[in-house]
Amino acid sequence: EMGEKLSKQLKVIFERWHQFKAGEISWDEFRFRAVFDAQKFNGMLYEGTGSHDSRLRNQCKSLHTHSEHLWRFITIHGVEPTNNTAERALRPAVIYRKLSFGTQSESGSRFVERIFSVMGTCRLQKRNAFEYLVQAIQAKLSNQPAPQILPAP
């Protein structure tokens, strides 16, 4: 029963998040409402810390103890509630590692790290990674500095 209550309350918070992301409500409105919803969720967690079910009690205690970290996306503009962006960024490298069985040397590992970093950075900037690599190789061959991969501050 407690799990269902918590799940429903969490759904309310994420519905508000999706409204904000869709531009249906402002950041201030999202934050105002979501803070109240998060406090309600925290109250439920606190209630769960007194449960006779040890698994529920321990889970509620753990979440309640760290509840400030659960709601960073509510209090800090630009913080996402999940790590999906990071997971998606790492996915190509993870798939490569699984399909290729990794590398056989330290220098091979450094190459793979760097090439995937360049590819991921270019993808985020909507740049063509192949074109960047061609420019970087041409610069190296002509003793010129490598093209900038990060925008100037």
Short mmCIF file of all heavy atoms in Angstrom, two decimals, residues 9-31:
data_model
loop_
_atom_site.label_atom_id
_atom_site.label_comp_id
_atom_site.label_asym_id
_atom_site.label_seq_id
_atom_site.Cartn_x
_atom_site.Cartn_y
_atom_site.Cartn_z
N GLN A 9 2.57 9.42 -5.97
CA GLN A 9 3.10 10.76 -5.70
C GLN A 9 4.28 11.08 -6.61
O GLN A 9 4.42 12.20 -7.10
CB GLN A 9 3.50 10.89 -4.23
CG GLN A 9 3.88 12.27 -3.82
CD GLN A 9 2.75 13.28 -3.99
OE1 GLN A 9 1.57 12.95 -3.95
NE2 GLN A 9 3.12 14.53 -4.23
N LEU A 10 5.11 10.10 -6.85
CA LEU A 10 6.24 10.30 -7.76
C LEU A 10 5.74 10.58 -9.17
O LEU A 10 6.30 11.42 -9.88
CB LEU A 10 7.14 9.06 -7.73
CG LEU A 10 8.54 9.21 -8.30
CD1 LEU A 10 9.31 10.31 -7.60
CD2 LEU A 10 9.28 7.90 -8.20
N LYS A 11 4.68 9.91 -9.55
CA LYS A 11 4.09 10.14 -10.88
C LYS A 11 3.62 11.58 -11.00
O LYS A 11 3.80 12.21 -12.05
CB LYS A 11 2.94 9.16 -11.10
CG LYS A 11 2.39 9.20 -12.49
CD LYS A 11 1.34 8.11 -12.70
CE LYS A 11 0.84 8.16 -14.13
NZ LYS A 11 -0.16 7.12 -14.39
N VAL A 12 3.03 12.13 -9.94
CA VAL A 12 2.58 13.52 -9.95
C VAL A 12 3.77 14.45 -10.18
O VAL A 12 3.70 15.39 -11.00
CB VAL A 12 1.87 13.87 -8.62
CG1 VAL A 12 1.66 15.38 -8.48
CG2 VAL A 12 0.55 13.14 -8.51
N ILE A 13 4.87 14.19 -9.49
CA ILE A 13 6.06 15.04 -9.63
C ILE A 13 6.58 14.98 -11.06
O ILE A 13 6.91 16.02 -11.66
CB ILE A 13 7.14 14.62 -8.62
CG1 ILE A 13 6.67 14.89 -7.18
CG2 ILE A 13 8.47 15.34 -8.89
CD1 ILE A 13 7.53 14.26 -6.10
N PHE A 14 6.64 13.79 -11.63
CA PHE A 14 7.16 13.67 -12.99
C PHE A 14 6.19 14.20 -14.04
O PHE A 14 6.61 14.68 -15.09
CB PHE A 14 7.59 12.23 -13.29
CG PHE A 14 8.99 11.97 -12.85
CD1 PHE A 14 9.26 11.50 -11.57
CD2 PHE A 14 10.06 12.24 -13.68
CE1 PHE A 14 10.55 11.28 -11.14
CE2 PHE A 14 11.37 12.04 -13.26
CZ PHE A 14 11.61 11.56 -11.99
N GLU A 15 4.90 14.14 -13.78
CA GLU A 15 3.94 14.77 -14.69
C GLU A 15 4.20 16.27 -14.75
O GLU A 15 4.17 16.87 -15.82
CB GLU A 15 2.51 14.48 -14.26
CG GLU A 15 2.07 13.07 -14.60
CD GLU A 15 0.70 12.71 -14.03
OE1 GLU A 15 0.09 13.53 -13.29
OE2 GLU A 15 0.24 11.59 -14.30
N ARG A 16 4.46 16.86 -13.59
CA ARG A 16 4.79 18.29 -13.56
C ARG A 16 6.10 18.56 -14.31
O ARG A 16 6.22 19.55 -15.02
CB ARG A 16 4.92 18.79 -12.12
CG ARG A 16 3.62 18.76 -11.38
CD ARG A 16 3.62 19.74 -10.24
NE ARG A 16 2.57 19.46 -9.28
CZ ARG A 16 1.29 19.66 -9.48
NH1 ARG A 16 0.86 20.14 -10.63
NH2 ARG A 16 0.41 19.40 -8.53
N TRP A 17 7.09 17.68 -14.13
CA TRP A 17 8.37 17.84 -14.84
C TRP A 17 8.14 17.83 -16.35
O TRP A 17 8.67 18.67 -17.07
CB TRP A 17 9.34 16.74 -14.43
CG TRP A 17 10.58 16.72 -15.26
CD1 TRP A 17 10.90 15.86 -16.26
CD2 TRP A 17 11.68 17.63 -15.18
NE1 TRP A 17 12.11 16.17 -16.80
CE2 TRP A 17 12.62 17.26 -16.15
CE3 TRP A 17 11.95 18.73 -14.38
CZ2 TRP A 17 13.81 17.94 -16.34
CZ3 TRP A 17 13.15 19.41 -14.57
CH2 TRP A 17 14.06 19.01 -15.54
N HIS A 18 7.33 16.89 -16.80
CA HIS A 18 7.06 16.80 -18.25
C HIS A 18 6.27 18.01 -18.74
O HIS A 18 6.49 18.47 -19.87
CB HIS A 18 6.35 15.49 -18.57
CG HIS A 18 7.21 14.28 -18.36
ND1 HIS A 18 8.40 14.09 -19.03
CD2 HIS A 18 7.08 13.23 -17.53
CE1 HIS A 18 8.96 12.96 -18.63
NE2 HIS A 18 8.18 12.41 -17.72
N GLN A 19 5.39 18.57 -17.90
CA GLN A 19 4.69 19.79 -18.28
C GLN A 19 5.69 20.94 -18.45
O GLN A 19 5.60 21.71 -19.40
CB GLN A 19 3.67 20.18 -17.21
CG GLN A 19 2.45 19.30 -17.16
CD GLN A 19 1.53 19.68 -16.00
OE1 GLN A 19 1.99 20.11 -14.94
NE2 GLN A 19 0.23 19.52 -16.21
N PHE A 20 6.63 21.02 -17.53
CA PHE A 20 7.66 22.06 -17.62
C PHE A 20 8.50 21.87 -18.88
O PHE A 20 8.73 22.81 -19.64
CB PHE A 20 8.56 22.06 -16.37
CG PHE A 20 9.84 22.81 -16.57
CD1 PHE A 20 9.85 24.18 -16.75
CD2 PHE A 20 11.05 22.12 -16.58
CE1 PHE A 20 11.04 24.87 -16.95
CE2 PHE A 20 12.24 22.81 -16.77
CZ PHE A 20 12.23 24.18 -16.96
N LYS A 21 8.96 20.64 -19.12
CA LYS A 21 9.81 20.37 -20.29
C LYS A 21 9.06 20.65 -21.60
O LYS A 21 9.68 21.05 -22.58
CB LYS A 21 10.32 18.93 -20.27
CG LYS A 21 11.33 18.64 -19.18
CD LYS A 21 12.56 19.51 -19.25
CE LYS A 21 13.56 18.96 -20.22
NZ LYS A 21 14.83 19.68 -20.22
N ALA A 22 7.75 20.45 -21.60
CA ALA A 22 6.94 20.69 -22.80
C ALA A 22 6.59 22.17 -22.95
O ALA A 22 5.97 22.56 -23.94
CB ALA A 22 5.67 19.85 -22.75
N GLY A 23 6.97 23.00 -21.97
CA GLY A 23 6.67 24.42 -22.05
C GLY A 23 5.25 24.77 -21.62
O GLY A 23 4.79 25.88 -21.84
N GLU A 24 4.57 23.82 -21.01
CA GLU A 24 3.18 24.06 -20.58
C GLU A 24 3.11 24.87 -19.30
O GLU A 24 2.11 25.54 -19.04
CB GLU A 24 2.45 22.73 -20.40
CG GLU A 24 2.34 21.94 -21.70
CD GLU A 24 1.86 20.52 -21.48
OE1 GLU A 24 1.42 20.17 -20.35
OE2 GLU A 24 1.93 19.73 -22.44
N ILE A 25 4.16 24.79 -18.47
CA ILE A 25 4.24 25.60 -17.25
C ILE A 25 5.65 26.18 -17.16
O ILE A 25 6.59 25.64 -17.72
CB ILE A 25 3.89 24.80 -15.97
CG1 ILE A 25 4.85 23.63 -15.75
CG2 ILE A 25 2.45 24.34 -15.98
CD1 ILE A 25 4.64 22.87 -14.44
N SER A 26 5.77 27.28 -16.45
CA SER A 26 7.08 27.93 -16.30
C SER A 26 7.92 27.20 -15.26
O SER A 26 7.41 26.39 -14.48
CB SER A 26 6.88 29.39 -15.86
OG SER A 26 6.40 29.41 -14.51
N TRP A 27 9.22 27.55 -15.24
CA TRP A 27 10.12 27.00 -14.23
C TRP A 27 9.61 27.35 -12.83
O TRP A 27 9.57 26.50 -11.95
CB TRP A 27 11.54 27.52 -14.43
CG TRP A 27 12.43 27.24 -13.26
CD1 TRP A 27 12.90 28.14 -12.35
CD2 TRP A 27 12.93 25.97 -12.84
NE1 TRP A 27 13.67 27.51 -11.41
CE2 TRP A 27 13.71 26.17 -11.68
CE3 TRP A 27 12.81 24.67 -13.33
CZ2 TRP A 27 14.35 25.14 -11.01
CZ3 TRP A 27 13.46 23.65 -12.65
CH2 TRP A 27 14.21 23.88 -11.51
N ASP A 28 9.21 28.61 -12.62
CA ASP A 28 8.74 29.03 -11.30
C ASP A 28 7.49 28.26 -10.87
O ASP A 28 7.38 27.85 -9.72
CB ASP A 28 8.47 30.54 -11.28
CG ASP A 28 9.74 31.36 -11.39
OD1 ASP A 28 10.81 30.84 -10.99
OD2 ASP A 28 9.68 32.50 -11.87
N GLU A 29 6.58 28.06 -11.79
CA GLU A 29 5.36 27.31 -11.46
C GLU A 29 5.69 25.84 -11.17
O GLU A 29 5.19 25.26 -10.21
CB GLU A 29 4.34 27.40 -12.59
CG GLU A 29 3.02 26.75 -12.26
CD GLU A 29 1.97 26.92 -13.34
OE1 GLU A 29 2.22 27.63 -14.34
OE2 GLU A 29 0.89 26.32 -13.18
N PHE A 30 6.55 25.27 -12.02
CA PHE A 30 6.97 23.88 -11.77
C PHE A 30 7.58 23.77 -10.40
O PHE A 30 7.22 22.90 -9.60
CB PHE A 30 7.98 23.42 -12.84
CG PHE A 30 8.77 22.22 -12.40
CD1 PHE A 30 8.17 20.97 -12.32
CD2 PHE A 30 10.11 22.34 -12.04
CE1 PHE A 30 8.89 19.86 -11.88
CE2 PHE A 30 10.83 21.24 -11.60
CZ PHE A 30 10.22 20.00 -11.53
N ARG A 31 8.51 24.65 -10.11
CA ARG A 31 9.24 24.58 -8.84
C ARG A 31 8.30 24.76 -7.65
O ARG A 31 8.38 24.02 -6.67
CB ARG A 31 10.32 25.66 -8.84
CG ARG A 31 11.30 25.47 -7.74
CD ARG A 31 12.53 26.31 -7.98
NE ARG A 31 13.28 26.27 -6.74
CZ ARG A 31 13.90 27.27 -6.20
NH1 ARG A 31 13.91 28.43 -6.81
NH2 ARG A 31 14.53 27.15 -5.07
#
